[in-house]
Amino acid sequence: GQQLNQSPQSMFIQEGEDVSMNCTSSSIFNTWLWYKQDPGEGPVLLIALYKAGELTSNGRLTAQFGITRKDSFLNISASIPSDVGIYFCAGQLGPSGSARQLTFGSGTQLTVLP
Amino acid sequence: GAVVSQHPSRVICKSGTSVKIECRSLDFQATTMFWYRQFPKQSLMLMATSNEGSKATYEQGVEKDKFLINHASLTLSTLTVTSAHPEDSSFYICSARSPSGRFNEQFFGPGTRLTVL
C-alpha cells in the first residue's frame, strides 16, 4: 500500500533536547494522526489533527496539520528517557468506506541518551 | 479511552499449521476492525478491513484464503493464518474504530508476535 514519507528515519538526542519530525505526502489527507509504538506493543495515539493549519499540543508534544494538507510535523520538547520509541504519522482521507483506512509513515526511531 | 485486546500475545507454531488470533474491543462496540502486519523495523501495512456481519475487504496482494477473517460480533474479530510458513512470521496488530470518538480515532491492540518454525 501507499506510504507517507517520514523523516528522519532515526534520531539520537540528549535528554532535555527538543525533537522534530515530519511527514509528507503526494496526496491530500483530511486527518493527520501521530502514534508512538514501544517495542512489542501496538501504536498508541498521541495527537490527532482534523483541520488544515491546526496546531495541537498534548503535554510536551505539539503537532501541526500542514496548510496544504499534504504534510504534518511533530515536536517533542525537553525529551526524557521514556520518549524512546518509534513514532509514526498516519493520514486518513475521510470517515467512511475505504477512506477510513490509515496510511502510515515509515516511522522515526527516537533514542534519548542520558 | 477505548481498549482493544489481542490474544495470544505471542505464538510459535510449526510450518503447515493454522493459527488463530483474536481481537476484542473491551469497552465499546466496533462495527469495523482493521488487521495490520508489521515486519521488523518497518511500518504497519494494512492487510484487511473486517466488517461485522459481512465479508472482510482485503488489500491488494493479501491472500484471502490464507488469512481468514471473521467478524462475528461487534466486539470480536479473528484472523486465522492457514497453513502458516516461515515467511508468515510477523507482528500482527488489529485496530478498532470507536464510535464514541471522532470518526478517525482508531485504537490499536497490543499485537501478536507469530513465529513459524
Side-chain angles (χ1 to χ4, degrees):
Chain A
Q2 177 189 357
Q3 280 197 330
L4 303 174
N5 296 315
Q6 185 171 347
S7 65
Q9 188 175 6
S10 63
M11 301 181 73
F12 291 82
I13 61 169
Q14 294 291 138
E15 183 177 355
E17 289 184 346
D18 297 343
V19 173
S20 184
M21 59 192 78
N22 68 83
C23 275
T24 58
S25 171
S26 58
S27 55
I28 289 172
F29 287 105
N30 290 311
T31 301
W32 281 91
L33 305 158
W34 285 91
Y35 290 88
K36 181 183 179 221
Q37 185 178 28
D38 291 327
E41 299 288 334
V44 174
L45 182 65
L46 299 174
I47 291 181
L49 302 158
Y50 305 106
K51 276 170 52 174
E54 180 180 354
L55 183 71
T56 297
S57 294
N58 178 9
R60 295 179 294 106
L61 278 61
T62 302
Q64 183 155 33
F65 190 146
I67 198 72
T68 64
R69 293 194 285 159
K70 292 183 178 181
D71 63 309
S72 177
F73 72 75
L74 173 72
N75 286 343
I76 304 174
S77 62
S79 58
I80 59 178
S82 61
D83 290 334
V84 167
I86 303 177
Y87 292 79
F88 289 101
C89 62
Q92 186 179 45
L93 281 173
S96 60
S98 60
R100 295 169 299 179
Q101 295 171 1
L102 297 179
T103 300
F104 279 87
S106 50
T108 296
Q109 172 73 62
L110 178 64
T111 302
V112 180
L113 305 171
Chain B
V3 179
V4 176
S5 71
Q6 275 184 248
H7 178 80
S9 58
R10 57 178 64 231
V11 56
I12 300 173
C13 68
K14 292 183 179 179
S15 185
T17 60
S18 294
V19 174
K20 180 186 284 188
I21 302 169
E22 293 185 349
C23 177
R24 293 182 185 272
S25 54
L26 297 185
D27 52 0
F28 65 99
Q29 293 183 330
T31 55
T32 303
M33 293 183 176
F34 302 89
W35 286 96
Y36 296 82
R37 180 166 51 183
Q38 185 179 32
F39 292 108
K41 299 189 185 300
Q42 294 190 21
S43 187
L44 284 76
M45 298 303 293
L46 180 66
M47 299 175 65
T49 302
S50 172
N51 303 299
E52 188 270 336
S54 65
K55 291 182 180 179
T57 304
Y58 290 82
E59 293 302 295
Q60 192 171 7
V62 178
E63 299 175 57
K64 61 181 180 181
D65 293 331
K66 180 168 186 62
F67 299 99
L68 301 178
I69 291 173
N70 186 298
H71 195 152
S73 76
L74 288 172
T75 60
L76 173 64
S77 175
T78 61
L79 168 68
T80 301
V81 183
T82 62
S83 187
H85 292 284
E87 58 265 30
D88 297 324
S89 298
S90 188
F91 193 50
Y92 292 87
I93 309 172
C94 71
S95 72
R97 189 170 69 95
S98 170
S100 60
R102 298 286 290 267
F103 62 81
N104 47 16
E105 285 183 358
Q106 285 186 29
F107 294 90
F108 286 82
T112 296
R113 173 75 59 194
L114 171 64
T115 302
V116 184
L117 302 176

mmCIF file of all heavy atoms in Angstrom, chain A residues 1 3 31 33 35 37 40-43 45 49-50 88 92 94-95 100-102 104-106, chain B residues 32 34 36 38 42-46 49 51 59 91 93 97 102-106 108-110:
data_model
loop_
_atom_site.group_PDB
_atom_site.id
_atom_site.type_symbol
_atom_site.label_atom_id
_atom_site.label_comp_id
_atom_site.label_asym_id
_atom_site.label_seq_id
_atom_site.Cartn_x
_atom_site.Cartn_y
_atom_site.Cartn_z
ATOM 1 N N GLY A 1 0.805 -1.196 0.000
ATOM 2 C CA GLY A 1 0.000 0.000 0.000
ATOM 3 C C GLY A 1 0.846 1.257 0.000
ATOM 4 O O GLY A 1 2.060 1.236 0.163
ATOM 5 N N GLN A 3 2.645 4.592 1.237
ATOM 6 C CA GLN A 3 3.230 5.043 2.484
ATOM 7 C C GLN A 3 3.565 6.514 2.402
ATOM 8 O O GLN A 3 3.838 7.055 1.334
ATOM 9 C CB GLN A 3 4.497 4.249 2.794
ATOM 10 C CG GLN A 3 4.241 2.890 3.399
ATOM 11 C CD GLN A 3 5.476 2.324 4.063
ATOM 12 O OE1 GLN A 3 6.578 2.597 3.662
ATOM 13 N NE2 GLN A 3 5.283 1.545 5.105
ATOM 14 N N THR A 31 -7.208 14.109 7.650
ATOM 15 C CA THR A 31 -6.857 13.923 9.051
ATOM 16 C C THR A 31 -5.420 13.439 9.129
ATOM 17 O O THR A 31 -5.023 12.590 8.327
ATOM 18 C CB THR A 31 -7.773 12.871 9.721
ATOM 19 O OG1 THR A 31 -9.127 13.290 9.633
ATOM 20 C CG2 THR A 31 -7.393 12.673 11.181
ATOM 21 N N LEU A 33 -2.621 11.926 11.981
ATOM 22 C CA LEU A 33 -2.516 11.345 13.316
ATOM 23 C C LEU A 33 -1.058 11.024 13.606
ATOM 24 O O LEU A 33 -0.291 10.671 12.692
ATOM 25 C CB LEU A 33 -3.347 10.054 13.405
ATOM 26 C CG LEU A 33 -4.821 10.198 13.017
ATOM 27 C CD1 LEU A 33 -5.398 8.858 12.617
ATOM 28 C CD2 LEU A 33 -5.603 10.788 14.172
ATOM 29 N N TYR A 35 1.292 8.599 16.166
ATOM 30 C CA TYR A 35 1.287 7.469 17.097
ATOM 31 C C TYR A 35 2.695 7.212 17.613
ATOM 32 O O TYR A 35 3.684 7.508 16.946
ATOM 33 C CB TYR A 35 0.810 6.187 16.406
ATOM 34 C CG TYR A 35 -0.651 6.144 16.042
ATOM 35 C CD1 TYR A 35 -1.096 6.642 14.818
ATOM 36 C CD2 TYR A 35 -1.586 5.577 16.895
ATOM 37 C CE1 TYR A 35 -2.438 6.584 14.467
ATOM 38 C CE2 TYR A 35 -2.934 5.511 16.552
ATOM 39 C CZ TYR A 35 -3.340 6.021 15.341
ATOM 40 O OH TYR A 35 -4.674 5.947 14.997
ATOM 41 N N GLN A 37 4.948 3.896 19.183
ATOM 42 C CA GLN A 37 4.943 2.444 19.378
ATOM 43 C C GLN A 37 6.166 2.038 20.183
ATOM 44 O O GLN A 37 7.306 2.316 19.790
ATOM 45 C CB GLN A 37 4.936 1.710 18.032
ATOM 46 C CG GLN A 37 4.808 0.206 18.160
ATOM 47 C CD GLN A 37 4.763 -0.504 16.818
ATOM 48 O OE1 GLN A 37 5.317 -0.022 15.832
ATOM 49 N NE2 GLN A 37 4.098 -1.651 16.771
ATOM 50 N N GLY A 40 7.340 -4.310 20.835
ATOM 51 C CA GLY A 40 6.427 -5.398 21.161
ATOM 52 C C GLY A 40 5.034 -4.964 21.531
ATOM 53 O O GLY A 40 4.249 -5.769 22.072
ATOM 54 N N GLU A 41 4.701 -3.706 21.247
ATOM 55 C CA GLU A 41 3.374 -3.195 21.589
ATOM 56 C C GLU A 41 2.705 -2.611 20.349
ATOM 57 O O GLU A 41 3.351 -2.357 19.336
ATOM 58 C CB GLU A 41 3.473 -2.096 22.651
ATOM 59 C CG GLU A 41 4.078 -2.559 23.974
ATOM 60 C CD GLU A 41 3.126 -3.458 24.741
ATOM 61 O OE1 GLU A 41 1.901 -3.341 24.541
ATOM 62 O OE2 GLU A 41 3.627 -4.300 25.521
ATOM 63 N N GLY A 42 1.396 -2.376 20.455
ATOM 64 C CA GLY A 42 0.696 -1.704 19.379
ATOM 65 C C GLY A 42 0.876 -0.205 19.488
ATOM 66 O O GLY A 42 1.271 0.315 20.536
ATOM 67 N N PRO A 43 0.599 0.533 18.411
ATOM 68 C CA PRO A 43 0.730 2.001 18.442
ATOM 69 C C PRO A 43 -0.289 2.631 19.379
ATOM 70 O O PRO A 43 -1.418 2.157 19.515
ATOM 71 C CB PRO A 43 0.438 2.400 16.991
ATOM 72 C CG PRO A 43 0.567 1.169 16.192
ATOM 73 C CD PRO A 43 0.191 0.039 17.098
ATOM 74 N N LEU A 45 -2.147 6.330 20.194
ATOM 75 C CA LEU A 45 -2.409 7.635 19.613
ATOM 76 C C LEU A 45 -1.890 8.745 20.524
ATOM 77 O O LEU A 45 -2.193 8.778 21.711
ATOM 78 C CB LEU A 45 -3.916 7.811 19.377
ATOM 79 C CG LEU A 45 -4.348 9.127 18.733
ATOM 80 C CD1 LEU A 45 -3.803 9.243 17.316
ATOM 81 C CD2 LEU A 45 -5.873 9.241 18.730
ATOM 82 N N LEU A 49 -5.135 15.465 14.340
ATOM 83 C CA LEU A 49 -5.312 16.780 13.714
ATOM 84 C C LEU A 49 -6.389 16.672 12.654
ATOM 85 O O LEU A 49 -6.344 15.780 11.802
ATOM 86 C CB LEU A 49 -3.996 17.234 13.074
ATOM 87 C CG LEU A 49 -2.806 17.334 14.027
ATOM 88 C CD1 LEU A 49 -1.501 17.262 13.251
ATOM 89 C CD2 LEU A 49 -2.866 18.633 14.821
ATOM 90 N N TYR A 50 -7.351 17.590 12.696
ATOM 91 C CA TYR A 50 -8.532 17.438 11.851
ATOM 92 C C TYR A 50 -8.716 18.551 10.821
ATOM 93 O O TYR A 50 -9.547 18.429 9.932
ATOM 94 C CB TYR A 50 -9.787 17.380 12.723
ATOM 95 C CG TYR A 50 -9.742 16.304 13.781
ATOM 96 C CD1 TYR A 50 -9.549 16.613 15.125
ATOM 97 C CD2 TYR A 50 -9.888 14.962 13.435
ATOM 98 C CE1 TYR A 50 -9.498 15.619 16.090
ATOM 99 C CE2 TYR A 50 -9.851 13.965 14.403
ATOM 100 C CZ TYR A 50 -9.655 14.308 15.722
ATOM 101 O OH TYR A 50 -9.613 13.316 16.682
ATOM 102 N N PHE A 88 5.125 7.170 14.543
ATOM 103 C CA PHE A 88 4.544 7.040 13.216
ATOM 104 C C PHE A 88 3.531 8.161 12.980
ATOM 105 O O PHE A 88 2.723 8.466 13.853
ATOM 106 C CB PHE A 88 3.788 5.720 13.063
ATOM 107 C CG PHE A 88 4.655 4.499 13.005
ATOM 108 C CD1 PHE A 88 4.816 3.704 14.133
ATOM 109 C CD2 PHE A 88 5.288 4.136 11.830
ATOM 110 C CE1 PHE A 88 5.605 2.556 14.090
ATOM 111 C CE2 PHE A 88 6.085 2.997 11.780
ATOM 112 C CZ PHE A 88 6.245 2.210 12.907
ATOM 113 N N GLN A 92 -5.428 10.020 6.981
ATOM 114 C CA GLN A 92 -6.729 9.421 6.687
ATOM 115 C C GLN A 92 -7.508 10.369 5.794
ATOM 116 O O GLN A 92 -7.474 11.589 5.968
ATOM 117 C CB GLN A 92 -7.499 9.157 7.977
ATOM 118 C CG GLN A 92 -8.812 8.408 7.780
ATOM 119 C CD GLN A 92 -9.523 8.163 9.086
ATOM 120 O OE1 GLN A 92 -9.618 9.049 9.915
ATOM 121 N NE2 GLN A 92 -10.035 6.955 9.277
ATOM 122 N N GLY A 94 -11.056 10.129 5.061
ATOM 123 C CA GLY A 94 -12.403 10.504 5.478
ATOM 124 C C GLY A 94 -12.999 9.508 6.435
ATOM 125 O O GLY A 94 -12.330 8.579 6.868
ATOM 126 N N PRO A 95 -14.278 9.709 6.780
ATOM 127 C CA PRO A 95 -14.900 8.917 7.839
ATOM 128 C C PRO A 95 -15.542 7.618 7.397
ATOM 129 O O PRO A 95 -15.941 6.817 8.234
ATOM 130 C CB PRO A 95 -15.971 9.869 8.368
ATOM 131 C CG PRO A 95 -16.367 10.668 7.171
ATOM 132 C CD PRO A 95 -15.124 10.820 6.341
ATOM 133 N N ARG A 100 -11.625 5.453 5.455
ATOM 134 C CA ARG A 100 -11.304 5.341 6.882
ATOM 135 C C ARG A 100 -9.928 4.746 7.101
ATOM 136 O O ARG A 100 -9.363 4.838 8.186
ATOM 137 C CB ARG A 100 -12.326 4.449 7.587
ATOM 138 C CG ARG A 100 -13.732 4.982 7.628
ATOM 139 C CD ARG A 100 -14.674 3.909 8.104
ATOM 140 N NE ARG A 100 -14.684 2.760 7.211
ATOM 141 C CZ ARG A 100 -15.426 1.669 7.423
ATOM 142 N NH1 ARG A 100 -16.179 1.589 8.488
ATOM 143 N NH2 ARG A 100 -15.379 0.656 6.565
ATOM 144 N N GLN A 101 -9.406 4.077 6.088
ATOM 145 C CA GLN A 101 -8.137 3.392 6.255
ATOM 146 C C GLN A 101 -7.027 4.395 6.568
ATOM 147 O O GLN A 101 -7.007 5.507 6.048
ATOM 148 C CB GLN A 101 -7.781 2.620 4.988
ATOM 149 C CG GLN A 101 -8.735 1.498 4.673
ATOM 150 C CD GLN A 101 -8.477 0.898 3.312
ATOM 151 O OE1 GLN A 101 -7.562 1.313 2.610
ATOM 152 N NE2 GLN A 101 -9.270 -0.071 2.927
ATOM 153 N N LEU A 102 -6.108 3.971 7.407
ATOM 154 C CA LEU A 102 -4.955 4.787 7.742
ATOM 155 C C LEU A 102 -3.783 4.412 6.848
ATOM 156 O O LEU A 102 -3.525 3.238 6.625
ATOM 157 C CB LEU A 102 -4.555 4.584 9.197
ATOM 158 C CG LEU A 102 -5.566 4.999 10.274
ATOM 159 C CD1 LEU A 102 -5.011 4.693 11.651
ATOM 160 C CD2 LEU A 102 -5.907 6.469 10.134
ATOM 161 N N PHE A 104 0.192 4.765 6.865
ATOM 162 C CA PHE A 104 1.227 5.035 7.845
ATOM 163 C C PHE A 104 2.522 5.499 7.202
ATOM 164 O O PHE A 104 2.900 5.061 6.111
ATOM 165 C CB PHE A 104 1.518 3.788 8.680
ATOM 166 C CG PHE A 104 0.535 3.572 9.793
ATOM 167 C CD1 PHE A 104 -0.643 2.879 9.565
ATOM 168 C CD2 PHE A 104 0.781 4.066 11.060
ATOM 169 C CE1 PHE A 104 -1.561 2.689 10.585
ATOM 170 C CE2 PHE A 104 -0.129 3.880 12.084
ATOM 171 C CZ PHE A 104 -1.304 3.191 11.842
ATOM 172 N N GLY A 105 3.211 6.379 7.916
ATOM 173 C CA GLY A 105 4.568 6.730 7.547
ATOM 174 C C GLY A 105 5.519 5.603 7.907
ATOM 175 O O GLY A 105 5.124 4.621 8.549
ATOM 176 N N SER A 106 6.756 5.750 7.510
ATOM 177 C CA SER A 106 7.742 4.681 7.707
ATOM 178 C C SER A 106 8.315 4.663 9.119
ATOM 179 O O SER A 106 9.010 3.724 9.487
ATOM 180 C CB SER A 106 8.877 4.827 6.695
ATOM 181 O OG SER A 106 9.365 6.156 6.693
ATOM 182 N N THR B 32 -16.332 -2.008 12.679
ATOM 183 C CA THR B 32 -15.197 -2.175 11.775
ATOM 184 C C THR B 32 -13.911 -2.349 12.561
ATOM 185 O O THR B 32 -13.645 -1.585 13.487
ATOM 186 C CB THR B 32 -15.047 -0.958 10.843
ATOM 187 O OG1 THR B 32 -16.261 -0.774 10.114
ATOM 188 C CG2 THR B 32 -13.905 -1.178 9.858
ATOM 189 N N PHE B 34 -9.613 -3.429 11.861
ATOM 190 C CA PHE B 34 -8.583 -3.487 10.831
ATOM 191 C C PHE B 34 -7.464 -4.417 11.286
ATOM 192 O O PHE B 34 -7.117 -4.459 12.458
ATOM 193 C CB PHE B 34 -8.001 -2.086 10.565
ATOM 194 C CG PHE B 34 -9.022 -1.062 10.138
ATOM 195 C CD1 PHE B 34 -9.699 -0.303 11.077
ATOM 196 C CD2 PHE B 34 -9.289 -0.850 8.792
ATOM 197 C CE1 PHE B 34 -10.639 0.637 10.692
ATOM 198 C CE2 PHE B 34 -10.227 0.095 8.395
ATOM 199 C CZ PHE B 34 -10.900 0.831 9.333
ATOM 200 N N TYR B 36 -3.439 -5.408 10.619
ATOM 201 C CA TYR B 36 -2.185 -4.939 10.053
ATOM 202 C C TYR B 36 -1.102 -5.996 10.274
ATOM 203 O O TYR B 36 -1.167 -6.806 11.195
ATOM 204 C CB TYR B 36 -1.717 -3.647 10.734
ATOM 205 C CG TYR B 36 -2.614 -2.445 10.547
ATOM 206 C CD1 TYR B 36 -3.747 -2.261 11.344
ATOM 207 C CD2 TYR B 36 -2.325 -1.479 9.588
ATOM 208 C CE1 TYR B 36 -4.564 -1.155 11.191
ATOM 209 C CE2 TYR B 36 -3.138 -0.364 9.418
ATOM 210 C CZ TYR B 36 -4.249 -0.224 10.225
ATOM 211 O OH TYR B 36 -5.055 0.885 10.072
ATOM 212 N N GLN B 38 3.229 -6.123 10.548
ATOM 213 C CA GLN B 38 4.407 -5.282 10.682
ATOM 214 C C GLN B 38 5.640 -6.157 10.765
ATOM 215 O O GLN B 38 5.782 -6.968 11.693
ATOM 216 C CB GLN B 38 4.307 -4.406 11.946
ATOM 217 C CG GLN B 38 5.434 -3.410 12.092
ATOM 218 C CD GLN B 38 5.288 -2.556 13.342
ATOM 219 O OE1 GLN B 38 4.772 -2.998 14.358
ATOM 220 N NE2 GLN B 38 5.757 -1.305 13.263
ATOM 221 N N GLN B 42 9.899 -2.024 10.247
ATOM 222 C CA GLN B 42 9.080 -1.484 9.163
ATOM 223 C C GLN B 42 7.781 -0.921 9.715
ATOM 224 O O GLN B 42 7.455 -1.079 10.890
ATOM 225 C CB GLN B 42 8.801 -2.564 8.110
ATOM 226 C CG GLN B 42 10.043 -3.017 7.368
ATOM 227 C CD GLN B 42 9.702 -3.903 6.187
ATOM 228 O OE1 GLN B 42 8.586 -3.889 5.674
ATOM 229 N NE2 GLN B 42 10.678 -4.682 5.743
ATOM 230 N N SER B 43 7.061 -0.265 8.834
ATOM 231 C CA SER B 43 5.802 0.357 9.240
ATOM 232 C C SER B 43 4.669 -0.665 9.235
ATOM 233 O O SER B 43 4.861 -1.826 8.892
ATOM 234 C CB SER B 43 5.490 1.509 8.285
ATOM 235 O OG SER B 43 4.379 2.236 8.739
ATOM 236 N N LEU B 44 3.508 -0.209 9.641
ATOM 237 C CA LEU B 44 2.331 -1.068 9.638
ATOM 238 C C LEU B 44 1.730 -1.092 8.238
ATOM 239 O O LEU B 44 1.547 -0.041 7.616
ATOM 240 C CB LEU B 44 1.271 -0.537 10.604
ATOM 241 C CG LEU B 44 1.484 -0.763 12.088
ATOM 242 C CD1 LEU B 44 2.527 0.180 12.645
ATOM 243 C CD2 LEU B 44 0.185 -0.619 12.854
ATOM 244 N N MET B 45 1.427 -2.280 7.764
ATOM 245 C CA MET B 45 0.811 -2.425 6.453
ATOM 246 C C MET B 45 -0.582 -3.023 6.637
ATOM 247 O O MET B 45 -0.733 -4.093 7.230
ATOM 248 C CB MET B 45 1.657 -3.314 5.561
ATOM 249 C CG MET B 45 3.050 -2.773 5.265
ATOM 250 S SD MET B 45 3.022 -1.134 4.494
ATOM 251 C CE MET B 45 2.291 -1.528 2.915
ATOM 252 N N LEU B 46 -1.580 -2.330 6.130
ATOM 253 C CA LEU B 46 -2.945 -2.811 6.264
ATOM 254 C C LEU B 46 -3.138 -4.075 5.443
ATOM 255 O O LEU B 46 -2.774 -4.124 4.267
ATOM 256 C CB LEU B 46 -3.923 -1.732 5.801
ATOM 257 C CG LEU B 46 -5.406 -2.073 5.880
ATOM 258 C CD1 LEU B 46 -5.847 -2.252 7.334
ATOM 259 C CD2 LEU B 46 -6.247 -0.995 5.200
ATOM 260 N N THR B 49 -9.766 -5.052 6.042
ATOM 261 C CA THR B 49 -10.769 -4.385 6.861
ATOM 262 C C THR B 49 -11.842 -5.405 7.197
ATOM 263 O O THR B 49 -12.422 -6.027 6.286
ATOM 264 C CB THR B 49 -11.387 -3.198 6.109
ATOM 265 O OG1 THR B 49 -10.352 -2.289 5.754
ATOM 266 C CG2 THR B 49 -12.414 -2.488 6.968
ATOM 267 N N ASN B 51 -15.419 -6.330 8.650
ATOM 268 C CA ASN B 51 -16.733 -5.720 8.834
ATOM 269 C C ASN B 51 -17.672 -6.690 9.528
ATOM 270 O O ASN B 51 -17.829 -7.830 9.071
ATOM 271 C CB ASN B 51 -17.325 -5.331 7.481
ATOM 272 C CG ASN B 51 -16.420 -4.403 6.699
ATOM 273 O OD1 ASN B 51 -16.114 -3.304 7.140
ATOM 274 N ND2 ASN B 51 -15.972 -4.837 5.543
ATOM 275 N N GLU B 59 -6.669 -6.060 1.215
ATOM 276 C CA GLU B 59 -5.824 -5.181 0.421
ATOM 277 C C GLU B 59 -5.177 -5.986 -0.706
ATOM 278 O O GLU B 59 -5.054 -7.222 -0.636
ATOM 279 C CB GLU B 59 -4.745 -4.557 1.304
ATOM 280 C CG GLU B 59 -5.308 -3.598 2.335
ATOM 281 C CD GLU B 59 -6.081 -2.467 1.688
ATOM 282 O OE1 GLU B 59 -5.474 -1.654 0.954
ATOM 283 O OE2 GLU B 59 -7.314 -2.366 1.951
ATOM 284 N N PHE B 91 4.606 -9.501 13.097
ATOM 285 C CA PHE B 91 3.847 -8.918 14.202
ATOM 286 C C PHE B 91 2.498 -8.507 13.630
ATOM 287 O O PHE B 91 2.439 -7.688 12.710
ATOM 288 C CB PHE B 91 4.624 -7.718 14.758
ATOM 289 C CG PHE B 91 4.147 -7.198 16.087
ATOM 290 C CD1 PHE B 91 3.957 -8.056 17.157
ATOM 291 C CD2 PHE B 91 3.906 -5.846 16.283
ATOM 292 C CE1 PHE B 91 3.533 -7.579 18.392
ATOM 293 C CE2 PHE B 91 3.484 -5.364 17.516
ATOM 294 C CZ PHE B 91 3.296 -6.230 18.573
ATOM 295 N N ILE B 93 -1.169 -6.829 14.140
ATOM 296 C CA ILE B 93 -1.819 -5.853 15.015
ATOM 297 C C ILE B 93 -3.218 -5.575 14.485
ATOM 298 O O ILE B 93 -3.409 -5.393 13.275
ATOM 299 C CB ILE B 93 -1.039 -4.524 15.068
ATOM 300 C CG1 ILE B 93 0.436 -4.761 15.383
ATOM 301 C CG2 ILE B 93 -1.649 -3.567 16.085
ATOM 302 C CD1 ILE B 93 1.282 -3.507 15.268
ATOM 303 N N ARG B 97 -12.306 0.903 15.424
ATOM 304 C CA ARG B 97 -12.736 2.301 15.418
ATOM 305 C C ARG B 97 -13.815 2.477 16.471
ATOM 306 O O ARG B 97 -14.829 1.783 16.452
ATOM 307 C CB ARG B 97 -13.268 2.675 14.043
ATOM 308 C CG ARG B 97 -13.544 4.150 13.842
ATOM 309 C CD ARG B 97 -13.839 4.436 12.381
ATOM 310 N NE ARG B 97 -15.104 3.879 11.961
ATOM 311 C CZ ARG B 97 -16.256 4.556 11.943
ATOM 312 N NH1 ARG B 97 -16.285 5.798 12.354
ATOM 313 N NH2 ARG B 97 -17.368 3.979 11.533
ATOM 314 N N ARG B 102 -14.036 10.777 17.723
ATOM 315 C CA ARG B 102 -14.123 11.359 16.399
ATOM 316 C C ARG B 102 -14.002 10.222 15.375
ATOM 317 O O ARG B 102 -13.456 9.186 15.637
ATOM 318 C CB ARG B 102 -13.002 12.377 16.203
ATOM 319 C CG ARG B 102 -13.066 13.547 17.153
ATOM 320 C CD ARG B 102 -14.170 14.525 16.793
ATOM 321 N NE ARG B 102 -13.895 15.269 15.577
ATOM 322 C CZ ARG B 102 -13.303 16.451 15.548
ATOM 323 N NH1 ARG B 102 -12.912 17.022 16.668
ATOM 324 N NH2 ARG B 102 -13.105 17.079 14.398
ATOM 325 N N PHE B 103 -14.469 10.466 14.169
ATOM 326 C CA PHE B 103 -14.573 9.371 13.212
ATOM 327 C C PHE B 103 -13.235 8.750 12.874
ATOM 328 O O PHE B 103 -13.169 7.659 12.365
ATOM 329 C CB PHE B 103 -15.247 9.874 11.932
ATOM 330 C CG PHE B 103 -14.482 10.951 11.215
ATOM 331 C CD1 PHE B 103 -13.419 10.634 10.374
ATOM 332 C CD2 PHE B 103 -14.823 12.283 11.376
ATOM 333 C CE1 PHE B 103 -12.714 11.631 9.716
ATOM 334 C CE2 PHE B 103 -14.122 13.275 10.715
ATOM 335 C CZ PHE B 103 -13.066 12.952 9.874
ATOM 336 N N ASN B 104 -12.175 9.460 13.104
ATOM 337 C CA ASN B 104 -10.898 8.938 12.669
ATOM 338 C C ASN B 104 -10.058 8.347 13.797
ATOM 339 O O ASN B 104 -8.882 8.132 13.629
ATOM 340 C CB ASN B 104 -10.101 10.039 11.990
ATOM 341 C CG ASN B 104 -10.126 11.304 12.798
ATOM 342 O OD1 ASN B 104 -10.475 11.281 13.967
ATOM 343 N ND2 ASN B 104 -9.793 12.417 12.189
ATOM 344 N N GLU B 105 -10.639 8.096 14.939
ATOM 345 C CA GLU B 105 -9.850 7.539 16.035
ATOM 346 C C GLU B 105 -9.893 6.028 15.995
ATOM 347 O O GLU B 105 -10.928 5.419 16.228
ATOM 348 C CB GLU B 105 -10.380 8.038 17.381
ATOM 349 C CG GLU B 105 -10.004 9.471 17.669
ATOM 350 C CD GLU B 105 -10.471 9.933 19.021
ATOM 351 O OE1 GLU B 105 -11.130 9.156 19.721
ATOM 352 O OE2 GLU B 105 -10.187 11.074 19.386
ATOM 353 N N GLN B 106 -8.751 5.440 15.663
ATOM 354 C CA GLN B 106 -8.620 4.000 15.726
ATOM 355 C C GLN B 106 -7.753 3.660 16.927
ATOM 356 O O GLN B 106 -6.722 4.274 17.152
ATOM 357 C CB GLN B 106 -7.949 3.453 14.461
ATOM 358 C CG GLN B 106 -8.841 3.433 13.240
ATOM 359 C CD GLN B 106 -8.186 2.756 12.060
ATOM 360 O OE1 GLN B 106 -7.346 1.868 12.210
ATOM 361 N NE2 GLN B 106 -8.561 3.177 10.857
ATOM 362 N N PHE B 108 -5.558 0.723 18.815
ATOM 363 C CA PHE B 108 -4.821 -0.472 18.429
ATOM 364 C C PHE B 108 -4.694 -1.468 19.572
ATOM 365 O O PHE B 108 -4.593 -1.088 20.742
ATOM 366 C CB PHE B 108 -3.425 -0.086 17.940
ATOM 367 C CG PHE B 108 -3.430 0.537 16.576
ATOM 368 C CD1 PHE B 108 -3.724 1.873 16.413
ATOM 369 C CD2 PHE B 108 -3.167 -0.232 15.450
ATOM 370 C CE1 PHE B 108 -3.754 2.457 15.150
ATOM 371 C CE2 PHE B 108 -3.190 0.349 14.181
ATOM 372 C CZ PHE B 108 -3.482 1.679 14.041
ATOM 373 N N GLY B 109 -4.687 -2.742 19.199
ATOM 374 C CA GLY B 109 -4.386 -3.785 20.157
ATOM 375 C C GLY B 109 -2.888 -3.844 20.403
ATOM 376 O O GLY B 109 -2.107 -3.191 19.718
ATOM 377 N N PRO B 110 -2.459 -4.653 21.363
ATOM 378 C CA PRO B 110 -1.035 -4.747 21.704
ATOM 379 C C PRO B 110 -0.217 -5.587 20.742
ATOM 380 O O PRO B 110 1.003 -5.656 20.873
ATOM 381 C CB PRO B 110 -1.053 -5.384 23.095
ATOM 382 C CG PRO B 110 -2.300 -6.187 23.106
ATOM 383 C CD PRO B 110 -3.296 -5.427 22.277
#
